[in-house]
Amino acid sequence: MANWLVTGGAGFIGTNFIHHILSIRQDVTVVNFDLLTYAGNPDGLSMYAGNPRYRFIKGDICDRKQVDAALRDNCIDTIVHFAAESHVDRSILGPMRFVMTNVNGTATLLDAARDYWGREGKDIPGEKRFHHISTDEVFGSLKPDEPAWTEASPYMPNSPYAASKAGSDHLVRAYGHTYGLPVTISNCSNNYGPYQFPEKLIPLVILNAVNGKPLPVYGDGQQIRDWLYVEDHCEAIRLILEKGKPGETYNIGGMNQPANLTIVKTICSLLDELVPDPSFCPHEKLITYVQDRPGHDRRYAMDSTKIKRELGWSPKYTLETGLRKTVEWYLANQDFVQKLTDRSDFKNWMDENYTERGGSSK
Ligand SMILES: NC(=O)c1ccc[n+]([C@@H]2O[C@H](COP(=O)([O-])OP(=O)(O)OC[C@H]3O[C@@H](n4cnc5c(N)ncnc54)[C@H](O)[C@@H]3O)[C@@H](O)[C@H]2O)c1
């Protein structure tokens, strides 16, 4: 059995990744190490209670003792590092938390892995790997005619979130270069799909629309993002873990770049079809333009040629098929979502920030 530590496994992508791995890799045991911040929700994995291949540890990646114990107690050979503060809007309001978790937390994990695999690694069978999940936002913002980012594009992060992720990427690379830690990094575009926290653009629009609430769109809604269905992302990470070379970085994108307004309108027409409630249809009439976010990046686009060429990955979902699956999931799982939106930390944040400023980061 291989023993994988998945940090941030109670978050959006981590939850999807654990489902993916436990269903596809029968030879892997997963330890989900998560602090359960406002964004962490273990309910999405409750079906694995009692499963000998799954264990949950409530722990903080910034706490060296907790990380050391998690590695040693579970003979960890692979670390898949998702844990982070991930919401751009929150990073603008409170950047220090992002520096602590994303930079210090990643450094703590790297150092613990270096020590553990260096001192006791010889006793742990199999290959070791530290895989770090990062974002396209480290590259900044593209002008309309500029080509999509490759792995060689320069880092130019604009938000505190993006800068903290850039800092963590540099640390991962440096630990690989300096200490020979077997690291890989992936920089991916905006994910969407099941289990996403409802402060992010797509779930927020779905949930507001079904409840007849305004659908706030930042500025002119013409910000362009590259959208990746989360299942495609999970498959890409698994392929990197299985076949990617230590020291390498891989860009992962959904190979589509719609404007945010197009995303919102597509969700509205899906809801017109799936929930034809005459009091809210057409859902598009709920769209409300609100003041743009400070320093809002205009365009992101990822060039995924390398992972396609070297690892044989390409996305299986188009924007249309992925959005349909996502809308259907949120409609079928309203109890799950309701539990999240009823939480006081979510409500307070939305009341204090979202209703006044509108919009959403991803
Ligand atoms: N969501 C996206 O579109 C996207 C795009 C590119 C990259 N990423 C990256 O992917 C990763 C996962 O993103 P997500 O959207 O699933 O995030 P998320 O906010 O949904 O989940 C983050 C998880 O990390 C946990 N966490 C936070 N601080 C922690 C700490 N100190 N110790 C342990 N656990 C902690 C939270 O409890 C939560 O479960 C992040 O590193 C993010 O930067 C996300």
Side-chain angles (χ1 to χ4, degrees):
M1 269 298 190
N3 298 318
W4 294 14
L5 186 83
V6 176
T7 71
F12 159 48
I13 308 175
T15 297
N16 282 283
F17 181 74
I18 291 173
H19 282 304
H20 178 82
I21 286 304
L22 289 179
S23 70
I24 289 196
R25 290 283 304 264
Q26 302 307 317
D27 60 330
V28 170
T29 291
V30 169
V31 177
N32 178 2
F33 185 88
D34 195 300
L35 186 58
L36 298 184
T37 67
Y38 81 94
N41 177 18
D43 290 356
L45 298 163
S46 54
M47 64 282 277
Y48 301 117
N51 184 324
R53 291 177 51 223
Y54 175 75
R55 181 176 174 205
F56 177 75
I57 298 176
K58 184 166 190 256
D60 185 348
I61 55 166
C62 301
D63 185 323
R64 179 62 189 263
K65 283 196 178 126
Q66 290 181 4
V67 173
D68 283 344
L71 295 179
R72 193 163 298 123
D73 294 352
N74 298 287
C75 289
I76 295 299
D77 49 52
T78 299
I79 297 173
V80 192
H81 178 33
F82 292 96
E85 288 293 335
S86 71
H87 192 31
V88 179
D89 287 355
R90 288 181 188 254
S91 83
I92 293 169
L93 293 164
M96 287 316 291
R97 181 71 188 256
F98 284 69
V99 176
M100 280 307 295
T101 302
N102 299 356
V103 181
N104 290 9
T106 302
T108 305
L109 266 183
L110 284 164
D111 215 52
R114 174 169 85 95
D115 264 6
Y116 177 55
W117 290 336
R119 286 185 196 157
E120 298 164 43
K122 59 185 181 319
D123 301 327
I124 307 165
E127 298 280 310
K128 316 289 177 296
R129 178 65 67 85
F130 186 113
H131 182 67
H132 176 61
I133 286 88
S134 190
T135 169
D136 56 359
E137 301 195 29
V138 298
F139 298 121
S141 183
L142 285 167
K143 296 199 174 68
D145 52 346
E146 282 182 312
W149 291 305
T150 70
E151 290 76 5
S153 297
Y155 273 34
M156 271 194 272
N158 287 326
S159 71
Y161 163 69
S164 68
K165 292 297 291 186
S168 64
D169 291 9
H170 292 319
L171 279 164
V172 174
R173 198 191 150 277
Y175 267 70
H177 183 80
T178 308
Y179 305 113
L181 198 72
V183 298
T184 39
I185 299 175
S186 51
N187 293 86
C188 71
S189 58
N190 279 17
N191 283 222
Y192 67 102
Y195 302 108
Q196 190 164 28
F197 197 77
E199 66 187 350
K200 305 279 172 77
L201 179 67
I202 289 178
L204 184 79
V205 167
I206 298 170
L207 298 176
N208 276 14
V210 292
N211 291 304
K213 292 185 184 166
L215 309 179
V217 169
Y218 271 144
D220 60 3
Q222 291 310 309
Q223 307 85 1
I224 291 175
R225 298 291 180 266
D226 183 320
W227 290 94
L228 174 65
Y229 189 65
V230 66
E231 209 174 296
D232 282 327
H233 184 200
C234 293
E235 191 182 24
I237 296 169
R238 178 174 56 79
L239 288 175
I240 294 170
L241 287 160
E242 290 171 354
K243 304 199 274 183
K245 289 197 206 105
E248 293 292 323
T249 295
Y250 299 89
N251 279 5
I252 310 167
M255 298 185 190
N256 59 66
Q257 285 106 34
N260 281 352
L261 188 59
T262 307
I263 293 277
V264 177
K265 287 187 171 175
T266 308
I267 294 171
C268 288
S269 40
L270 279 166
L271 287 171
D272 290 347
E273 177 198 324
L274 297 169
V275 196
D277 181 335
S279 47
F280 301 147
C281 284
H283 289 84
E284 239 186 82
K285 71 180 182 217
L286 298 167
I287 292 174
T288 311
Y289 294 91
V290 296
Q291 195 187 350
D292 209 351
R293 169 204 289 157
H296 206 171
D297 289 338
R298 202 64 186 162
R299 175 174 165 248
Y300 301 158
M302 287 297 250
D303 181 337
S304 310
T305 307
K306 177 176 170 180
I307 188 166
K308 192 174 181 184
R309 187 184 60 237
E310 294 187 7
L311 307 185
W313 176 86
S314 53
K316 294 193 170 65
Y317 288 85
T318 62
L319 190 63
E320 288 67 31
T321 56
L323 274 181
R324 180 174 285 275
K325 237 185 141 181
T326 306
V327 171
E328 286 171 349
W329 187 89
Y330 277 93
L331 292 177
N333 289 278
Q334 294 200 32
D335 287 354
F336 178 91
V337 177
Q338 190 68 45
K339 261 176 87 179
L340 282 180
T341 50
D342 281 349
R343 278 166 35 172
S344 58
D345 45 10
F346 177 76
K347 279 192 166 148
N348 293 344
W349 157 258
M350 295 298 270
D351 289 349
E352 282 165 25
N353 302 292
Y354 174 77
T355 38
E356 281 164 33
R357 298 170 57 250
S360 165
S361 77
K362 295 220 166 213

